Amino acid sequence: MSKSIDPQANRLPELSAHHQDPHSYPDGIAFLDGQYLPMSQAKISVLDWGFLHSDATYDTVHVWNGRFFRLDLHLDRFFGGLEKLRMTIPFDREGVAEILHNCVVLSGHRAAYVEMLCTRGVSPTFSRDPRDAVNRFMAFAVPFGSVANAEQLQRGLHVAISDKVRIPPASIDPAIKNYHWLDLVRGLYDAYDRGAETALVLDFNGNVAEGPGFNVFCVNDGKLSTPAVGVLPGITRRTVFDLCAEAGLAVTAADVSVAALRQSDEIFITSTAGGIMPVTVIDGVPVADGKVGAITKRLMAMYWQKHEDPAWSSPVRYP
Ligand code: PLP
């Protein structure tokens, strides 16, 4: 059942008395234990199993130019994860959407990275049984962040392929968006050691999987492909499929070998944190001519145009 924080439609909840100016939160706003707080005050117990066991799920949507992008798809994925992990929260989709909206409005940001998350929580009796824990829902809106910075978006990212293997789907269903990132973080350090800016890790068969916070696509002879298994079904990845359908481009989800990736005409990565981002160097070697490819550029332009389209985005109701 929905439990709304402020039952009066269109009325924003208030921050505590000494935090009244909605435009004075450069670091963002969080929702925790029924309250909206400045990010610096959003804290959880070290005994929370979300922290101790990474027993949590989350989702991140972004707001661009004052509009949520594909919020429904993010809510679908979040509620799907909760169900698979047998977690319950006291809010339905509309309740969560309202909380996310309030976080953005209170933060005053028009470009925001907006996260909803649920941890297993803490057992009141210190029992080791996860069924005893009280699940904890939180949300926050912070300034928009991107995997690639402005320069990298222009010239393309330099990526290393790590030999680290992404946690296999038989262990963790990747459709449950999770914080099991040690494989990705170790891959990232491999990349830094080799002078690259970010990493791709492998799936359990040695094919390319994904990177820290992004999916990957390659383009060959005008056709796109992206790894099919062992990866988070990214909303931006899904958006690329939708854009390709509109643009009449062929795209498939299939195994992508390391050798095939290296020989691609174009490579790009996809994430809510930055959208479609070009890759122009793999393991120190330029991808094709080392320039951002034409199909990548075209999809990047379409992607950002869709942020103004009411079929793909919804406005934040700022006061
Ligand atoms: N893969 C991983 C491991 C991620 O954490 C993310 C996003 O955080 C992605 C892929 C991209 O997913 P989306 O496009 O939904 O942001």
Side-chain angles (χ1 to χ4, degrees):
M1 209 189 90
S2 166
K3 185 178 142 207
S4 173
I5 288 304
D6 186 338
Q8 296 179 46
N10 299 327
R11 227 200 87 200
L12 274 173
E14 280 170 14
L15 292 169
S16 54
H18 50 289
H19 297 298
Q20 296 272 320
D21 179 2
H23 299 291
S24 65
Y25 301 100
D27 297 334
I29 290 289
F31 173 84
L32 197 66
D33 297 333
Q35 279 186 301
Y36 293 88
L37 300 161
M39 275 314 284
S40 59
Q41 292 176 26
K43 295 180 178 155
I44 63 160
S45 165
V46 291
L47 292 177
D48 192 307
W49 281 327
F51 173 65
L52 292 178
H53 297 173
S54 197
D55 189 348
T57 188
Y58 75 111
D59 215 289
T60 310
V61 56
H62 70 220
V63 166
W64 188 255
N65 217 3
R67 302 177 72 86
F68 277 102
F69 190 61
R70 310 203 92 177
L71 177 57
D72 277 349
L73 297 180
H74 288 278
L75 290 170
D76 287 347
R77 191 170 62 181
F78 180 60
F79 277 90
L82 289 177
E83 198 180 330
K84 287 179 187 164
L85 292 179
R86 304 194 196 194
M87 290 178 179
T88 51
I89 60 171
F91 307 102
D92 63 10
R93 285 173 69 96
E94 287 68 37
V96 170
E98 185 185 339
I99 290 167
L100 300 178
H101 184 268
N102 290 342
C103 286
V104 175
V105 172
L106 290 168
S107 79
H109 290 292
R110 295 187 60 82
Y113 185 86
V114 189
E115 189 156 325
M116 59 205 100
L117 67 110
C118 185
T119 65
R120 184 69 59 192
V122 177
S123 157
T125 61
F126 294 100
S127 118
R128 300 182 68 85
D129 185 337
R131 293 170 299 184
D132 295 337
V134 181
N135 302 161
R136 212 146 189 265
F137 173 78
M138 297 160 238
F140 58 83
V142 293
F144 183 81
S146 172
V147 174
N149 63 31
E151 183 203 328
Q152 291 164 338
L153 286 172
Q154 275 290 319
R155 54 118 162 113
L157 282 153
H158 298 184
V159 174
I161 302 176
S162 162
D163 60 2
K164 302 297 179 290
V165 174
R166 186 74 172 119
I167 194 165
S171 302
I172 305 287
D173 174 354
I176 306 169
K177 193 164 154 66
N178 62 72
Y179 295 120
H180 293 277
W181 267 51
L182 292 186
D183 41 15
L184 298 169
V185 172
R186 292 177 73 214
L188 206 43
Y189 275 97
D190 288 345
Y192 296 152
D193 288 346
R194 294 194 232 147
E197 294 160 337
T198 190
L200 284 165
V201 299
L202 305 178
D203 73 12
F204 51 96
N205 290 319
N207 294 310
V208 177
E210 61 184 344
F214 54 82
N215 295 110
V216 62
F217 283 79
C218 56
V219 185
N220 264 304
D221 297 327
K223 298 193 182 83
L224 291 87
S225 41
T226 188
V229 295
V231 298
L232 176 78
I235 306 299
T236 324
R237 175 179 180 270
R238 149 86 189 264
T239 297
V240 168
F241 278 76
D242 295 340
L243 294 174
C244 285
E246 237 183 79
L249 291 164
V251 56
T252 52
D255 285 347
V256 175
S257 71
V258 172
L261 188 83
R262 290 189 199 287
Q263 277 150 31
S264 302
D265 300 332
E266 299 181 31
I267 300 175
F268 60 83
I269 60 169
T270 61
S271 175
T272 297
I276 298 173
M277 296 165 277
V279 173
T280 47
V281 174
I282 292 279
D283 288 334
V285 178
V287 177
D289 65 1
K291 301 213 173 80
V292 178
I295 289 179
T296 306
K297 279 189 190 159
R298 183 173 170 205
L299 289 171
M300 285 170 79
M302 288 176 77
Y303 176 80
W304 290 108
Q305 275 159 18
K306 291 293 182 193
H307 284 65
E308 303 300 323
D309 183 337
W312 297 57
S313 65
S314 47
V316 175
R317 298 176 305 278
Y318 297 94

